[in-house]
């Protein structure tokens, strides 16, 4: 629609006049605040979510088709948890989880240091979400698009390396315990 020169999309673009670059997959995991876990206990299995409060994505416009993966999993597994809050933004879910309202599904990049939340049930992952960098064909030779694309790819590589190191550190701590 030419409302922007470039975009990041979380579904594969179908327009034939767009150049696209697959940036990778995002995964969702479950997170809670340390305060919530101290008060309510750390779930160790999916069944342990019974009776826990969860923060879920609400109804309406969905950023990706799989945004309701936790609600679907709980329903399919017949696990009764209380939907403490439904909100229509990932940032809203993050703020609610950080405030101790409940356990919520968030993209894996929320595990970054300083976020004030911790991952729970790491074996549970939401379905992968493909991310694409797209821009119109007529900007194929644009230097500013190329610079931004290259910057984005570098930053994503750094973030993946950071997430890998965090995961390895967590695994090492579990093994040492």
């Amino acid at each position: 629609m030419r409302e922007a020169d470039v975009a990041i999309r979380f579904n594969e673009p179908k327009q034939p006049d767009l150049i696209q670059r697959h940036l990778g997959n995002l995964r969702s995991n479950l997170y809670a605040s340390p305060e919530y876990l101290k008060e309510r206990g750390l779930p160790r299995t999916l069944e342990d979510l019974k009776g826990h409060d969860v923060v879920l994505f609400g109804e309406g416009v969905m950023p990706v088709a799989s945004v309701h993966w936790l609600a679907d999993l709980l329903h399919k597994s017949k696990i009764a948890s209380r939907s403490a809050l439904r909100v229509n933004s990932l940032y809203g879910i993050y703020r609610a989880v950080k405030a101790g309202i409940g356990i919520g599904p968030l993209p894996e990049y929320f595990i970054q240091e300083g976020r004030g939340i911790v991952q729970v049930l790491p074996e549970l992952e939401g379905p992968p979400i493909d991310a694409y960098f797209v821009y119109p064909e007529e900007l194929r030779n644009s230097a500013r698009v190329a610079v931004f694309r290259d910057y984005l790819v570098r930053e994503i590589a750094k973030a993946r390396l950071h997430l890998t190191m965090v995961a390895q550190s967590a695994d090492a701590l579990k093994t040492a315990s």
Side-chain angles (χ1 to χ4, degrees), residues 40 43 45-53 74 77-82:
R40 302 289 300 274
T45 66
L46 178 62
E47 184 69 25
D48 287 349
L49 288 179
K50 189 178 287 189
H52 272 276
D53 293 335
L74 292 171
S77 303
K78 297 180 173 42
I79 295 175
S81 60
R82 188 173 85 86

Side-chain angles (χ1 to χ4, degrees), residues 86-149:
R86 287 186 178 262
V87 63
N88 287 348
S89 84
L90 292 175
Y91 186 69
I93 292 174
Y94 161 69
R95 295 293 300 183
V97 166
K98 186 175 179 182
I101 292 174
I103 297 171
L106 290 165
E108 64 189 350
Y109 58 80
F110 277 89
I111 200 168
Q112 294 174 1
E113 296 173 37
R115 290 278 192 175
I117 58 175
V118 294
Q119 187 177 0
V120 297
L121 298 174
E123 67 280 1
L124 289 181
E125 286 186 344
I129 300 165
D130 289 316
Y132 297 88
F133 178 75
V134 300
Y135 53 96
E137 177 76 35
E138 62 262 20
L139 294 179
R140 175 181 294 279
N141 297 319
S142 168
R144 64 190 171 120
V145 169
V147 167
F148 181 65
R149 180 198 59 227

Side-chain angles (χ1 to χ4, degrees), residues 25-28 66 125-130:
N25 296 329
L26 294 173
R27 292 268 184 199
S28 291
S66 61
E125 286 186 344
I129 300 165
D130 289 316

